Amino acid sequence: MSIFAGVITNGKHRVPAGKAESMLSHIAAPRHKILENYNDESANIAVRTRKAGTDFYSGHGLLVVSDCRFNGAEQLCRELELQESEFNNAHLLALAYRKWGEELVSKLSGEFAFAIWNKKENALFCGRDKFGRVPIAYLITSTGIEFASDFQSVAADQSSPLPVNEEWIIEYSMGVVVDKASTPFVGLMRLPPGCVLKWHRSKLEINQYWSFQEIERSTEDASIAGVLSAVEDSIEDRILGPDLVTLLSGGLDSSSISILARDEYQLQFGEPIHAVSLDTGKHSENSDKPFIDLVIDQGGFIPHVEPIKEYCAVSEIQRLVSIEGAPVISSGGGVFDQALNRIQRLGFFRVLDGHGGDEVISSFGVMRLFELARARKWISLLVELVRVSKNSDLPVLKNFAGLYSTRGSGIGAAVFRRVYSLLNTPIKATNETSMLRRDLETHPAFARSVATVKDTNPSLYKTERDYQESVLNAPLQSQAHETLYRQYRSHGLRPEFPFWDERVVEQCLKTPSQEKLKKGVPRSLIRSVMGSRLPQPVSTRITKFDFSGYLVRSLQANVAELQLIAQNRTHSVFDFIDNDAFAMAIENLQSDQHQKNIDAAKRLWPALNIFCWLNLITSYSANQNNLEPPC
């Protein structure tokens, strides 16, 4: 794990001395203390690493910086005749570039972002992994190109502030991500997942080298054994040493990862694996702790339980925004951070995380219902809806009426169409769900946000695979990866997401819908894959602990500060947020109705993130001379 940055000019200008090193100073990475760099008249490229000689290479006219973890690195080394004793991620990339040129990305599997500077040709080539698990960003300037592991390091190191991307802020306030490439700053771009960047003589090209369509569409469905084997292989590749801990929440995904990792860890090291969990304490409704205890009681774990502490919401948002360099979508960061603090104190480096389980393997299987409707199997559909309703709050009549009205025929379909129209109250994307200023509802970005939400409707897709591809390919996924990656890195940790592995994704895309929703039980695939390895109460669990109460209490303790923000009507946050709606949310936060409290907290979260971020970017110019990595 490393962080890198670079500045390359078009040959007509000199690079300011120490520019790349200065850019790195804006990335929170406390364990990345070893600096390696390259300087000449037209290029300044630098990398900070935990261990020298891992992600920096200079030779044969190439300069390479990277942040990588490759699957099958041993095979690549053999193909490139690279001795194990000489292994270095950046060196491997340099050899691959010399042998295969820009086609090297088709040979790579794993998580990676890299930049290759071809000094002879004055050309830059960058690549990012298929799912966008490792971030990389760039900015085209009047004199050349700047690139870095994080867009914040580019934005924070400009001589004059970059313009705010109003479209990005509008979309964020709606809770959606529309574009994989954009950032909160105009002109500053992410390299999208599965893409490469070429910059040569001031000409920029962005090309996609991989998409989900590359995964073969075979007529043969994946087997449960095939999915299990893929997950086991993914975990095995990520157990590289004893500096590993697993996050155990007691849910299906984290319990599955922890149990499989325990078994593999014992095979490799003959020792129990460390597991870190959060304890909800007195707020015990739907508590995770009984389920965590059941997994731990199986043996093979060294448990570490961190009691969740109440926190100050505004200061926590300020801290998270300073790490991310942008407003944060997920409101659980204040709680999740406490688990990362514990792992940091324990001295571990790599963390197995069940992120992606919902999207990759534990999907609800909703397409099963639509497939039954398309096949006009009405009795089977009704039976399945009744079963599902016992495990969720899914309204049977409303959903049957909606499905029958679109796929049925004759008088019956007309009747159900009428029933559905009476039962269905569509949610409008207005200030009822967002605190955007009403005049911004005419902005094109608002319309795109609404369209993006509509595109998540499973009724638009023909098959389970089509729908799951749309979920996995959504721009929100790569942004979530980046958000988690930065949060982990700010604690000196590297996240490992075994579910987000090419082999696992391929197997799950080939799994039919009836394996994902079975006898009314959602997320059936992971239950079948794990079988008796999961404790029965964990396997049959359909609830999750709701952490929103912590956010509510933290905001209620900050009401006075929130009211001061509302009174400052000239603050730039109210260029986007409706001041009256903000004030009403503060009032509802103090209501004696619990649901009103939760709704108010969820609406205040994005507004406060925008507020803290706007404050942050005004301070960038004051940090220009801070060359030490923030700790």
Side-chain angles (χ1 to χ4, degrees):
M1 191 177 195
S2 66
I3 54 175
F4 59 81
V7 183
I8 299 172
T9 70
N10 51 25
K12 300 176 183 177
H13 301 82
R14 294 179 65 91
V15 175
K19 172 70 172 176
E21 292 86 338
S22 178
M23 290 164 68
L24 291 179
S25 72
H26 300 287
I27 300 178
R31 291 188 180 179
H32 298 64
K33 296 185 180 295
I34 299 173
L35 175 68
E36 298 175 272
N37 59 8
Y38 170 86
N39 291 276
D40 65 22
E41 291 186 353
S42 60
N44 175 208
I45 301 172
V47 61
R48 280 191 185 273
T49 61
R50 298 177 67 249
K51 183 180 178 181
T54 55
D55 286 289
F56 180 88
Y57 173 82
S58 181
H60 299 283
L62 300 177
L63 189 287
V64 185
V65 288
S66 62
D67 181 5
C68 307
R69 187 204 64 78
F70 297 120
N71 296 331
E74 298 84 358
Q75 176 61 31
L76 277 173
C77 287
R78 285 193 292 271
E79 289 187 56
L80 298 169
E81 299 180 355
L82 179 64
Q83 299 300 315
E84 186 176 342
S85 59
E86 301 174 329
F87 178 76
N88 168 323
N89 286 325
H91 190 186
L92 185 149
L93 287 165
L95 292 175
Y97 183 74
R98 291 178 62 200
K99 181 172 183 175
W100 297 306
E102 295 170 4
E103 296 300 315
L104 72 93
V105 286
S106 64
K107 307 286 186 178
L108 303 179
S109 174
E111 301 98 46
F112 58 83
F114 64 82
I116 301 175
W117 170 234
N118 189 325
K119 291 179 273 187
K120 294 179 181 179
E121 297 185 10
N122 199 40
L124 177 70
F125 181 71
C126 300
R128 190 178 183 191
D129 69 71
K130 297 172 182 178
F131 302 140
R133 289 159 291 192
V134 182
I136 182 171
Y138 66 94
L139 175 71
I140 301 298
T141 69
S142 60
T143 60
I145 186 171
E146 300 179 10
F147 62 91
S149 295
D150 263 325
F151 67 83
Q152 176 177 212
S153 63
V154 181
D157 213 83
Q158 299 300 308
S159 56
S160 56
L162 294 175
V164 170
N165 185 347
E166 185 178 80
E167 293 187 355
W168 194 97
I169 299 301
I170 291 172
E171 291 161 3
Y172 165 78
S173 70
M174 295 288 292
V176 299
V177 180
V178 175
D179 183 10
K180 296 179 182 179
S182 66
T183 74
F185 300 95
V186 173
L188 179 51
M189 309 299 290
R190 293 178 172 94
L191 180 61
C195 288
V196 294
L197 174 156
K198 296 190 290 182
W199 184 86
H200 182 48
R201 296 178 181 175
S202 299
K203 292 184 179 179
L204 176 72
E205 284 185 43
I206 304 294
N207 295 312
Q208 186 174 14
Y209 71 86
W210 185 89
S211 72
F212 282 92
Q213 297 302 313
E214 301 289 327
I215 297 177
E216 181 185 359
R217 286 178 174 263
S218 64
T219 55
E220 184 177 345
D221 293 334
S223 65
I224 299 300
V227 177
L228 174 60
S229 177
V231 178
E232 288 177 328
D233 288 345
S234 175
I235 290 173
E236 182 181 357
D237 282 350
R238 286 164 172 80
I239 299 182
L240 303 174
D243 61 342
L244 181 75
V245 66
T246 183
L247 274 176
L248 174 59
S249 72
L252 276 173
D253 302 327
S254 74
S255 298
S256 299
I257 292 293
S258 295
I259 288 169
L260 294 176
R262 173 203 63 192
D263 296 345
E264 180 61 33
Y265 195 88
Q266 286 182 324
L267 280 175
Q268 291 193 29
F269 302 105
E271 297 177 356
I273 191 170
H274 291 262
V276 171
S277 307
L278 290 170
D279 183 3
T280 56
K282 63 181 180 180
H283 307 292
S284 58
E285 186 178 355
N286 290 329
S287 172
D288 288 329
K289 193 170 186 311
F291 303 98
I292 293 169
D293 291 342
L294 287 169
V295 175
I296 295 298
D297 288 345
Q298 287 187 337
F301 294 98
I302 301 174
H304 306 274
V305 179
E306 180 71 10
I308 301 176
K309 303 175 184 67
E310 302 291 348
Y311 58 93
C312 173
V314 177
S315 63
E316 185 64 19
I317 291 172
Q318 289 173 339
R319 194 186 63 80
L320 290 172
V321 166
S322 70
I323 291 168
E324 300 293 341
V328 181
I329 287 182
S330 172
S331 61
V335 172
F336 180 65
D337 216 57
Q338 296 180 39
L340 301 189
N341 274 324
R342 180 63 177 272
I343 296 170
Q344 183 179 11
R345 294 197 304 271
L346 289 169
F348 292 99
F349 172 52
R350 292 176 303 110
V351 186
L352 288 176
D353 187 316
H355 170 67
D358 284 344
E359 298 85 2
V360 177
I361 192 170
S362 296
S363 56
F364 183 86
V366 66
M367 284 304 298
R368 175 64 178 158
L369 304 175
F370 288 92
E371 289 173 0
L372 288 172
R374 287 193 179 96
R376 298 175 184 268
K377 296 181 178 179
W378 305 118
I379 300 299
S380 297
L381 172 61
L382 185 58
V383 169
E384 200 66 21
L385 280 169
V386 170
R387 288 170 170 170
V388 171
S389 69
K390 294 177 180 178
N391 297 306
S392 68
D393 56 359
L394 189 76
V396 176
L397 181 58
K398 173 184 170 181
N399 282 274
F400 184 80
L403 289 165
Y404 194 95
S405 65
T406 56
R407 292 291 166 179
S409 59
I411 297 175
V415 170
F416 278 107
R417 224 174 349 259
R418 176 61 178 161
V419 171
Y420 183 69
S421 67
L422 293 173
L423 293 173
N424 187 47
T425 304
I427 298 174
K428 296 180 180 179
T430 66
N431 282 13
E432 295 172 15
T433 55
S434 162
M435 284 203 286
L436 264 182
R437 280 174 37 172
R438 289 199 178 276
D439 57 305
L440 292 176
E441 293 180 9
T442 60
H443 196 288
F446 182 87
R448 284 196 296 273
S449 300
V450 174
T452 299
V453 173
K454 288 181 179 178
D455 286 345
T456 63
N457 189 334
S459 66
L460 300 176
Y461 301 91
K462 292 183 178 180
T463 67
E464 169 68 27
R465 172 163 178 163
D466 292 332
Y467 177 61
Q468 189 173 15
E469 272 189 17
S470 75
V471 171
L472 297 178
N473 196 35
L476 179 63
Q477 301 297 350
S478 59
Q479 180 154 314
H481 280 304
E482 289 188 27
T483 298
L484 280 169
Y485 199 81
R486 294 188 194 100
Q487 192 171 2
Y488 271 101
R489 189 176 57 200
S490 71
H491 290 274
L493 306 173
R494 181 183 182 94
E496 301 283 1
F497 306 127
F499 287 132
W500 273 105
D501 182 277
E502 291 96 320
R503 295 159 292 189
V504 179
V505 169
E506 180 176 356
Q507 288 295 312
C508 290
L509 283 175
K510 293 179 179 180
T511 304
S513 63
Q514 60 265 28
E515 291 294 345
K516 298 177 180 178
L517 178 67
K518 190 180 294 184
K519 296 183 178 180
V521 179
R523 308 175 72 198
S524 287
L525 178 57
I526 186 64
R527 304 175 202 269
S528 298
V529 164
M530 292 301 294
S532 60
R533 295 197 199 188
L534 281 175
Q536 184 65 17
V538 176
S539 180
T540 57
R541 184 182 183 187
I542 59 173
T543 60
K544 286 188 177 184
F545 182 78
D546 185 358
F547 288 94
S548 59
Y550 290 97
L551 177 61
V552 169
R553 290 187 294 277
S554 67
L555 288 171
Q556 287 172 336
N558 280 203
V559 163
E561 191 170 352
L562 299 180
Q563 289 171 336
L564 286 175
I565 295 172
Q567 291 165 16
N568 185 6
R569 289 177 171 267
T570 60
H571 193 282
S572 53
V573 69
F574 296 116
D575 292 343
F576 303 98
I577 299 300
D578 183 90
N579 185 275
D580 292 336
F582 188 86
M584 179 59 71
I586 297 172
E587 185 178 324
N588 289 340
L589 189 66
Q590 302 169 79
S591 165
D592 57 3
Q593 297 180 37
H594 181 61
Q595 191 57 50
K596 263 193 175 184
N597 299 159
I598 291 176
D599 292 343
K602 289 180 178 178
R603 299 184 72 200
L604 284 166
W605 173 266
L608 289 171
N609 269 266
I610 296 172
F611 171 80
C612 291
W613 177 73
L614 291 169
N615 286 344
L616 173 70
I617 62 177
T618 61
S619 69
Y620 278 164
S621 59
N623 298 322
Q624 291 296 306
N625 298 318
N626 174 21
L627 298 183
E628 290 300 316
C631 298

